[in-house]
Amino acid sequence: MGDPVGAARHARQALKDDGTVLLAEPFAGNNLAENSTPVGRLYYAASTMVCTPNSLSQEVGLGLGAQAGEVRLAQVFAEGRLHKVSTGDGDAVQPDTGSKK
């Protein structure tokens, strides 16, 4: 998806105040170490060859990169004004603001 933030904004505009958006993505960790598994390596290969170039070829071309994890996807949702983000198991996810702690 070339403009995931725009898609999140569009979803937010279409929702009622108590509406919900479901994002279904293959599982990815938030960093390389978390994705260094046989399945993670397969996902990196597929994303590098298909997903990332497709995203970059579109107008906005955000290119989240191979294996965007929960933190990065929460950041996309926050930029799209969808602020309550949780995982399938109900854990809250905080977007990465880019600041170092």
Side-chain angles (χ1 to χ4, degrees), residues 6-82:
R9 281 190 188 121
H10 180 76
R12 178 66 193 111
Q13 291 170 352
L15 289 172
K16 292 183 179 182
D17 288 341
D18 62 347
T20 301
V21 172
L22 171 66
L23 172 66
E25 279 284 313
F27 176 79
N30 293 308
N31 57 56
L32 178 61
E34 292 176 357
N35 293 318
S36 293
T37 65
V39 172
R41 289 189 290 271
L42 176 66
Y43 285 165
Y44 272 124
S47 185
T48 299
M49 296 298 293
V50 179
C51 304
T52 301
N54 180 57
S55 174
L56 294 176
S57 74
Q58 295 177 38
E59 187 175 329
V60 173
L62 182 60
L64 293 176
Q67 295 293 81
E70 291 174 345
V71 170
R72 181 64 179 106
L73 293 174
Q75 183 180 15
V76 166
F77 269 34
E79 290 174 29
R81 299 184 330 219
L82 294 164

